[in-house]
Amino acid sequence: GTWTLWIIFNAVVAFLLILDLGLFHRRAHVIAVREAMLESAAWGALSAIFGLWIFASHGRGPGLEFFTGYVIELSLSTDNVFVFLLIFQYFRVHSRYQHRLLFWGILGALVLRGAMIAAGIVLIRRFEWILYLFGAFLLYAGFKLFRADHSIRPEKNPVVRWAEKFLPMTRTDAGARLFVQEQGRWLATPLFLVIIVLETTDLLFALDSIPAVFGVTRDPFLVYSSNICAILGLRAFYFLIAGLLPYFRYLDDGLATVLMFIGAKMIVDPWVHISTELSLSVVGSVIVISMLASV
């Protein structure tokens, strides 16, 4: 990950996001299944092309590490989709506004996850033993996910309570806008409150997913790029499978198994080395089996 590569990657991501919102979704509208399928395929193809470029230019090892990190992050993101659906239902957000809210939510997630990854890299380089804590935390997180409660209680979110108390807000319908001007004052709309809930929820999910990718690779650029590529397609993924997720009753069990496997891998790595190829096979197989069992 040279400085040139970091700059080019982030510039391309910014260009794609501007193109997505400014051209393809300039007007708020309901995302149909066909459009969601095309967008999911497009984001997936871009991620695959980028991974193949890493494979060709940097070798088999980094290429497999990127794809493994991408699959782990994408798998864990499916749980985000279900929670996002509950958040929109709780706040009664109209379908035509959901894509724009997810855009701003994911834009914030890019910044927050980048900061978390940078902090993780600094900690690992200074205190390598912290990897064992990451592994233990993933084991605990996986165990907790077996009995996960996906109910949404924004009123208990301290950030939301602070915003409702100190942030001037309007209760009038403002369409897709996040801020409106009333009597010379700028006021936040309820949709801005939804973005706060989306951001804080994603931050909690990142506490699981980012250490999981560190269990596959220590390369900062591969951790970052695999995370970004996975969440960029999360919006289209949401509209594609949000209605189907409640039927995947064993998906949480599969994700919990993935977290526990990666956690165990990090703990035993000094004595038992598990190859990237085997990790990718285990993660993919567990997710596929959990979905097939649900069906």
Side-chain angles (χ1 to χ4, degrees), residues 14 196 220:
I196 293 177

Side-chain angles (χ1 to χ4, degrees), residues 237-277:
F237 198 52
Y238 166 84
F239 293 103
L240 184 60
I241 68 170
L244 300 177
L245 274 180
Y247 299 100
F248 292 131
R249 56 182 299 189
Y250 296 121
L251 183 59
D252 272 352
D253 297 333
L255 297 176
T257 304
V258 168
L259 285 176
M260 296 179 76
F261 167 72
I262 298 297
K265 177 181 181 296
M266 297 175 77
I267 292 175
V268 305
D269 189 62
W271 305 279
V272 180
H273 177 68
I274 300 176
S275 66
T276 306
E277 296 92 330

Side-chain angles (χ1 to χ4, degrees), residues 98-124:
Q98 292 180 8
H99 183 278
R100 184 154 298 187
L101 290 180
L102 287 173
F103 173 89
W104 292 114
I106 288 176
L107 192 64
L110 297 180
V111 177
L112 293 174
R113 288 184 180 229
M116 289 182 66
I117 291 170
I121 291 295
V122 171
L123 288 174
I124 290 172

Side-chain angles (χ1 to χ4, degrees), residues 70-79 251 255 258 283-284 287:
Y70 175 74
V71 170
I72 289 173
E73 184 62 38
L74 194 62
S75 302
L76 296 175
S77 293
T78 56
D79 231 22
L251 183 59
L255 297 176
V258 168
V283 171
I287 297 302

Side-chain angles (χ1 to χ4, degrees), residues 125-146:
R125 287 179 175 173
R126 182 168 292 189
F127 312 105
E128 191 169 350
W129 51 264
I130 204 170
L131 287 170
Y132 300 115
L133 293 182
F134 283 174
F137 175 73
L138 291 178
L139 285 173
Y140 171 76
F143 175 75
K144 292 284 289 184
L145 189 55
F146 275 114

Side-chain angles (χ1 to χ4, degrees), residues 145-158:
L145 189 55
F146 275 114
R147 299 173 295 138
D149 177 16
H150 289 304
S151 58
I152 300 298
R153 302 181 183 91
E155 68 279 0
K156 295 185 177 181
N157 187 317

Side-chain angles (χ1 to χ4, degrees), residues 57-106:
S57 61
H58 291 76
R60 184 170 181 270
L64 285 174
E65 289 176 0
F66 169 82
F67 279 115
T68 306
Y70 175 74
V71 170
I72 289 173
E73 184 62 38
L74 194 62
S75 302
L76 296 175
S77 293
T78 56
D79 231 22
N80 299 34
V81 171
F82 186 69
V83 174
F84 289 168
L85 176 65
L86 294 178
I87 291 173
F88 288 143
Q89 290 177 346
Y90 181 90
F91 285 98
R92 298 178 183 177
V93 178
H94 196 282
S95 300
R96 66 176 179 268
Y97 302 143
Q98 292 180 8
H99 183 278
R100 184 154 298 187
L101 290 180
L102 287 173
F103 173 89
W104 292 114
I106 288 176

